[in-house]
Amino acid sequence: MKKKTLLALIALTLSTTHTYAEEMPPEEFTLPEIVVTATKTGMDKKLVPASVEVISKADIQARGAQTLKDVISTATDISIIRSTGRDAISIRGFESRFSMILIDGRRLSSEIDQNYELDRIPLENVERIEIVRGPVNSLYGTDAMGGVVNIITRQAVEPGFTLSLAHGAFTGNKGAKDNYNFTYDSGIHGKTGVTISGSHLENDASFKGDGTTYAPYGVRKNISARVDYQLTDKEALTLTAAYMNEDTRELAYKQTAKGAIKANIHDDNERYDYSLSYTKQQSDSSVFLRAYLSDYYKKVDVHNLANAQLMNYGDSHRTLPGFEARLTRNVGSDHVLTYGGEYRPEKFRGTGVRTGEGIFYVDYEGKSFEGSSIDLTYSALYIQDQWQISPKLLAVTSLRYDDSNKFESNLSPKLGLTYEASSDSRVKLNIAKGFRSPTPNQLYISSQVNRNGKVVTLDGNANLQSEESDSYELSLEKDWGKATGKLTYFSNKLDNMIEESWVSATRIQYENISKATLQGVEAELKYPLSDTFSWSVNYTNLDATNDVTNTRLLNRAKHKLASRLSYNDQKTVRANLWCEMYADYLHDAGSNVEKNKSYSIWNLNVEKSLDKNNTLSVGIENLLNKKDDDLSLQGMYIHSKLLMKF
């Protein structure tokens, strides 16, 4: 009934509205694109030595994106790993756990590995997304060996309320999704601005040929608020609060002594996020202070689908408080120095970890489950120098010292150089050392997990060593008017890389690979074809190798190409046709079974302004109806969205 109501509302809006043409002011000049994630200071994107990509609010809307997964997959050298039963990102061949996902530069408490976060982060109140490829340990510490995805939310601008109603379904009306979002902007009232946003996503189950589900189904809710208060013309306070709740299920097979049993996996997760930050801007310096708390609660029960008998239960709680401070100061006319530090006393407790510390018991449905705890304290200091060596040469050097009560201390240096050969061409070089300490999951977990429709036991390894990398990157950039091109070679030599290894058909364990290499070439081109059409394309050739066995690392494509053709009449219509092509994708099909596949995903989205307050968009994902149970590709997905402004 709710789907018919939504479609009727869209039809009614179409029949009663007229086309609205908004006059666009002529473009007189183009301001430089400022990014903050790569250096924690605002810098012109063209000058930043690191490989940075920015996805704007307009890009997010043009693609009809609802969650982070919908918009990030076409970014340069970012792949979506689909063969584990959960969509996850891979940056330059680094799996999701090597990459940090931040909100306004702030860490999130999650399930330690990031495989679940792509669907959990809504985009209705996002101003832009900044992606840094390559290690950023010298500023962000552990977890940033592969890169950083920073989601920057919008501040209050002008009063308004927006409501969006979206519905979609896969071919055959399977796996239907309904997504309702709202955003409130108070505008600036005196010294205060407030934004509030929320979303409600509900999706139905969609089944593979063996009766297991393609993805978790159920309900996910988000609500967040941001208050900006201008203390003086140079000082500001920002308070944020957010809540996420999800109640999802998925079906998978669990191998037992009596054979394979279909299991119903139920996830009940909650996350609370709070932060308070202080910023002071002066002509030659700036100060930033922030305190935050992120609490994550997870409960998962596994039942025999046939008789509802409890097969397993997990109960965990991760608390991530943090304190950080940063001072940026101009030193003479050639240097900008940034000093910073952070302190994080994390706590993790759960029935799925075996640390031997803080033993506790949880009773559920008449059974008792043992759990344990671990307290991790992280502290760090870092320094960065932006040195304009000459009018053509910029050097950005940084060094970070990390310490922990459980892991060895570490120094992470990085050197970045940008040489402006001419006004329209640049050469960039990056040299960095990265590191990553094992997570509590990797060290102590003993739990049942879903791997592409199979429930298996995942065991930690208390003997794991920290991962280390030596990284090099050389880029050539060229502008042709409004067109831009970039060619990059990157190389990462890793020691003690942590990967999952199959011990048996029903058990996997983390292990170190003593030597591994992730290297390749990235090519990017953005080209305006006319006043209304533009085209962008990026290609990555990746060589991911286990240097001990001289074999390829799994769940990585050797070739990835992403391309997008955009139309924008600057008045009422925007359209985007884009594709993701993966070639020679070697993936783990389970229990030491490897498969090599190539596939393409084509997508289309059209957005039309019905009047100045209402916009309708219609899209098709997977236009060619590609289906593959191993890769959790379930065919064509057709969706529509009505955006209303009040």
Side-chain angles (χ1 to χ4, degrees):
M1 179 62 69
K2 60 185 179 183
K3 301 179 181 66
K4 293 181 179 179
T5 302
L6 177 59
L7 292 175
L9 176 60
I10 292 175
L12 179 62
T13 306
L14 280 170
S15 64
T16 59
T17 56
H18 60 276
T19 299
Y20 173 75
E22 181 179 0
E23 294 296 330
M24 301 294 292
E27 185 181 57
E28 297 179 356
F29 56 88
T30 302
L31 294 174
E33 189 169 29
I34 302 300
V35 295
V36 298
T37 307
T39 61
K40 291 195 175 183
T41 60
M43 283 191 68
D44 184 346
K45 179 185 173 184
K46 291 184 177 181
L47 298 180
V48 175
S51 292
V52 179
E53 184 161 352
V54 178
I55 301 173
S56 67
K57 180 71 171 180
D59 288 334
I60 295 171
Q61 293 175 341
R63 284 182 251 187
Q66 299 290 331
T67 64
L68 185 60
K69 179 183 67 176
D70 299 330
V71 73
I72 201 174
S73 60
T74 57
T76 303
D77 209 354
I78 293 189
S79 301
I80 301 297
I81 300 174
R82 296 181 170 92
S83 59
T84 61
R86 293 273 185 172
D87 290 339
I89 64 170
S90 171
I91 301 179
R92 287 185 171 173
F94 284 97
E95 293 184 346
S96 62
R97 60 179 175 271
F98 293 96
S99 303
M100 295 182 67
I101 297 179
L102 306 174
I103 304 290
D104 294 322
R106 172 178 50 81
R107 292 171 180 263
L108 288 174
S109 183
S110 64
E111 300 179 60
I112 301 183
D113 291 340
Q114 300 284 6
N115 292 14
Y116 292 68
E117 292 304 325
L118 290 184
D119 283 325
R120 284 180 175 165
I121 298 175
L123 301 178
E124 68 272 4
N125 198 33
V126 172
E127 183 64 27
R128 69 184 188 276
I129 300 170
E130 295 185 0
I131 303 168
V132 182
R133 303 189 298 274
V136 205
N137 299 91
S138 61
L139 291 179
Y140 294 95
T142 188
D143 301 333
M145 186 184 290
V148 172
V149 178
N150 189 13
I151 299 163
I152 300 170
T153 60
R154 62 173 295 190
Q155 301 182 39
V157 179
E158 59 182 59
F161 181 84
T162 62
L163 176 66
S164 68
L165 310 175
H167 172 70
F170 291 93
T171 50
N173 199 31
K174 298 177 180 178
K177 297 181 183 180
D178 289 298
N179 200 344
Y180 312 114
N181 301 277
F182 78 88
T183 301
Y184 166 75
D185 186 333
S186 71
I188 305 298
H189 292 276
K191 297 183 177 182
T192 306
V194 178
T195 58
I196 303 173
S197 62
S199 66
H200 177 101
L201 172 65
E202 185 173 352
N203 64 303
D204 299 335
S206 186
F207 299 97
K208 299 180 181 180
D210 62 0
T212 62
T213 47
Y214 280 100
Y217 62 94
V219 177
R220 182 178 296 111
K221 303 173 184 177
N222 285 275
I223 187 166
S224 62
R226 172 172 176 159
V227 180
D228 292 285
Y229 181 74
Q230 200 73 31
L231 291 167
T232 68
D233 59 345
K234 296 179 180 179
E235 297 174 283
L237 288 174
T238 300
L239 173 66
T240 65
Y243 172 72
M244 182 275 294
N245 173 268
E246 64 180 2
D247 187 352
T248 63
R249 298 179 182 273
E250 51 189 325
L251 304 184
Y253 283 101
K254 177 177 172 56
Q255 190 65 40
T256 69
K258 298 181 180 180
I261 296 176
K262 186 179 286 189
N264 184 342
I265 305 170
H266 174 219
D267 265 302
D268 184 3
N269 305 303
E270 288 185 300
R271 179 163 60 206
Y272 301 83
D273 293 291
Y274 312 94
S275 75
L276 177 64
S277 62
Y278 166 82
T279 305
K280 183 175 182 178
Q281 297 283 350
Q282 293 182 307
S283 59
D284 63 348
S285 65
S286 65
V287 175
F288 178 81
L289 304 172
R290 175 160 55 193
Y292 62 89
L293 174 65
S294 185
D295 256 337
Y296 182 80
Y297 299 86
K298 179 179 179 64
K299 296 181 181 180
V300 56
D301 56 80
V302 183
H303 286 82
N304 185 322
L305 188 65
N307 58 22
Q309 183 178 1
L310 180 66
M311 303 172 70
N312 193 35
Y313 177 72
D315 191 326
S316 62
H317 177 203
R318 185 183 183 196
T319 301
L320 198 161
F323 310 92
E324 55 182 312
R326 183 170 69 247
L327 169 65
T328 299
R329 188 176 186 85
N330 296 338
V331 181
S333 59
D334 299 331
H335 292 270
V336 179
L337 289 178
T338 299
Y339 312 87
E342 63 175 302
Y343 175 70
R344 299 195 323 272
E346 297 185 23
K347 295 181 181 293
F348 185 85
R349 67 190 301 271
T351 57
V353 294
R354 299 287 183 267
T355 67
E357 303 175 11
I359 303 297
F360 67 93
Y361 295 90
V362 175
D363 293 327
Y364 187 77
E365 293 189 5
K367 295 184 178 181
S368 181
F369 297 87
E370 180 183 310
S372 56
S373 306
I374 184 170
D375 292 345
L376 298 170
T377 301
Y378 296 98
S379 57
L381 294 171
Y382 61 85
I383 183 172
Q384 175 181 266
D385 179 25
Q386 297 169 220
W387 179 19
Q388 193 69 52
I389 300 175
S390 72
K392 290 180 175 291
L393 182 61
L394 170 70
V396 180
T397 57
S398 51
L399 177 67
R400 177 173 168 127
Y401 172 77
D402 282 272
D403 196 17
S404 168
N405 65 327
K406 294 291 185 180
F407 307 110
E408 69 272 23
S409 59
N410 189 83
L411 277 174
S412 301
K414 184 175 183 178
L415 168 65
L417 297 173
T418 298
Y419 177 72
E420 292 189 275
S422 64
S423 61
D424 59 4
S425 60
R426 295 162 297 281
V427 180
K428 297 182 178 181
L429 173 68
N430 276 284
I431 303 172
K433 292 187 71 69
F435 89 104
R436 184 176 180 275
S437 302
T439 66
N441 263 11
Q442 293 170 335
L443 292 168
Y444 307 117
I445 193 173
S446 180
S447 184
Q448 295 177 357
V449 296
N450 182 9
R451 288 294 182 267
N452 206 7
K454 303 294 189 297
V455 178
V456 299
T457 299
L458 174 61
D459 285 332
N461 183 346
N463 297 317
L464 289 176
Q465 300 180 54
S466 294
E467 299 161 288
E468 298 181 352
S469 71
D470 292 299
S471 301
Y472 309 89
E473 173 186 320
L474 179 64
S475 299
L476 305 176
E477 296 183 1
K478 177 70 175 176
D479 303 330
W480 301 273
K482 294 183 179 181
T484 60
K486 185 174 183 178
L487 183 65
T488 303
Y489 169 76
F490 64 90
S491 174
N492 300 282
K493 298 290 185 180
L494 290 96
D495 294 333
N496 304 317
M497 185 178 188
I498 298 175
E499 291 274 278
E500 292 182 0
S501 176
W502 287 93
V503 178
S504 68
T506 60
R507 181 171 170 258
I508 53 182
Q509 185 178 35
Y510 289 109
E511 67 171 15
N512 283 120
I513 299 175
S514 60
K515 297 289 183 181
T517 298
L518 298 172
Q519 61 184 2
V521 176
E522 300 166 349
E524 309 169 58
L525 177 64
K526 295 182 179 180
Y527 192 81
L529 301 173
S530 68
D531 291 340
T532 54
F533 282 97
S534 62
W535 176 58
S536 64
V537 62
N538 63 73
Y539 165 76
T540 303
N541 176 278
L542 175 67
D543 179 20
T545 306
N546 180 331
D547 293 334
V548 178
T549 61
N550 198 30
T551 57
R552 285 181 58 189
L553 296 172
L554 300 179
N555 299 325
R556 296 160 174 92
K558 195 170 185 65
H559 307 276
K560 186 213 169 181
L561 185 144
S563 182
R564 179 160 66 119
L565 179 65
S566 301
Y567 171 82
N568 187 347
D569 68 359
Q570 306 298 326
K571 296 179 181 180
T572 63
V573 177
R574 291 192 298 182
N576 281 265
L577 174 67
W578 71 99
C579 69
E580 306 164 46
M581 300 180 182
Y582 294 85
D584 201 4
Y585 176 60
L586 185 65
H587 69 94
D588 179 7
S591 190
N592 293 315
V593 176
E594 300 175 5
K595 294 184 180 181
N596 199 326
K597 296 185 177 182
S598 299
Y599 63 97
S600 300
I601 305 295
W602 288 81
N603 311 277
L604 173 67
N605 194 75
V606 179
E607 180 182 291
K608 179 177 175 57
S609 297
L610 305 175
D611 57 33
K612 66 179 181 180
N613 293 322
N614 297 287
T615 302
L616 175 67
S617 64
V618 178
I620 303 175
E621 298 177 14
N622 198 348
L623 269 167
L624 303 182
N625 200 28
K626 172 69 176 178
K627 297 181 180 180
D628 191 309
D629 285 359
D630 288 336
L631 302 177
S632 294
L633 295 173
Q634 49 190 310
M636 184 186 298
Y637 178 73
I638 304 173
H639 57 93
S640 61
K641 181 173 73 172
L642 178 63
L643 178 66
M644 298 171 285
K645 297 180 180 180
F646 301 91

